[in-house]
Amino acid sequence: MTTAPTDTTTTPFVAASSTLALVHYLSRQGVLDSRRVEQLTGLDMPALEDPDRRVPAEVHYRLWDFAERVTGDPAVGLNAGQIIDPERMGLVGHVFFNCDTLGEAVTQYVRLHRLINESVILSFEQIAEQAILTWQPDSPEHYCRQDMDRTLAAAMCRTRHFIYPDIKADWAEIAHPRPDYADKYETLLKGPVTFGAASTRLAFNSRHLSHPIPHRNPYVYSAVLRQVNGLLARLQTRRSFSRKIRRLISRQMSTDKIDADTLARQCHMSRQTLYRRLKKEGLSFHELVEQVRKDKALRYVASDHYALGEIAFLLGFSELSAFSRAFKRWTGVAPAQYRAQHLTREADQ
């Protein structure tokens, strides 16, 4: 089976092992239609077994919609994510669970996440006694409720199975609206959950980072890590330019007016070349500036380290009112309200 060629410089991909795991789940449920799956993915079933195979994210997400329809289960992501099958775990999973500690596994999870799903940005931070993982899609159309459910369930259930059975979430924020099966989240995560957040976040006590991984195998770790590092190096060559521009924007945001001509000169190229190279990675300059501004705004407002007027200045806004309008456009709430919600939640922990 063949499909039209995909532009690999602009299309985000997911690891075929994730797609294959969903196929196996449908098989376990007795609802697998192999022919329909092949039509949806454009791949013969054996092709999904290739450990280096990658599937366009939009194709993977279409398969999740199909899975919900054929199972009749809106919580299919949460239920599929609770399946523990070491024999069907992807290469990156074998890296995680052969690390020395949970903290090292989290570090590798963040570093290698683009091998799992290029359409979602994963970040990690420690605030006081909490360790927080944040999943943020690179664009709204790349948010998939079922896949995010599976991600949360798999992260928690695999950590309990391989590392520490009593771990629980201090709290979780879910980016999609509250579903009919909302009670399942607190049962699974064993912590309070809020819905309709700006991004999906999972917090747990940072003391868990020191937990050793009981059955790690250093030989498996070394061998698999070499392989995934090679995959990561090939992937990085495709999307390195936008990351460089993102770093330049972030550094200059609070000190200079961000404009394409200035950044183009720093990169020793014309503005037109800058635009053209970003376009090859599926981005525009103004979209990139907006992304950096939004990411910084969410972190600054939630952390309570700066007054709102200072944040407006740090992000290059001429006045607080302009920042407030932009923040409400990004999140649906004013920055003061967003901060109050976070402070209230932290006080309740």
Side-chain angles (χ1 to χ4, degrees), residues 86-87 89 91-101 104-105 108 162-163 212-226:
E87 295 300 317
M89 196 159 51
L91 289 172
V92 176
H94 286 292
V95 171
F96 301 156
F97 300 112
N98 284 287
C99 291
D100 288 333
T101 64
E104 183 185 349
Q108 292 286 15
F162 290 104
I163 303 175
I213 297 181
H215 305 295
R216 61 192 179 277
N217 184 322
Y219 300 104
V220 170
Y221 176 81
S222 179
V224 178
L225 187 62
R226 281 197 299 272

Side-chain angles (χ1 to χ4, degrees), residues 40 45 47 81 98 107 134 144 158 237 261 306 313:
L40 287 168
M45 297 295 285
N98 284 287
T107 299
T134 301
C144 175
R158 291 182 181 186
T237 60
D261 287 321
Y306 299 103
F313 171 77

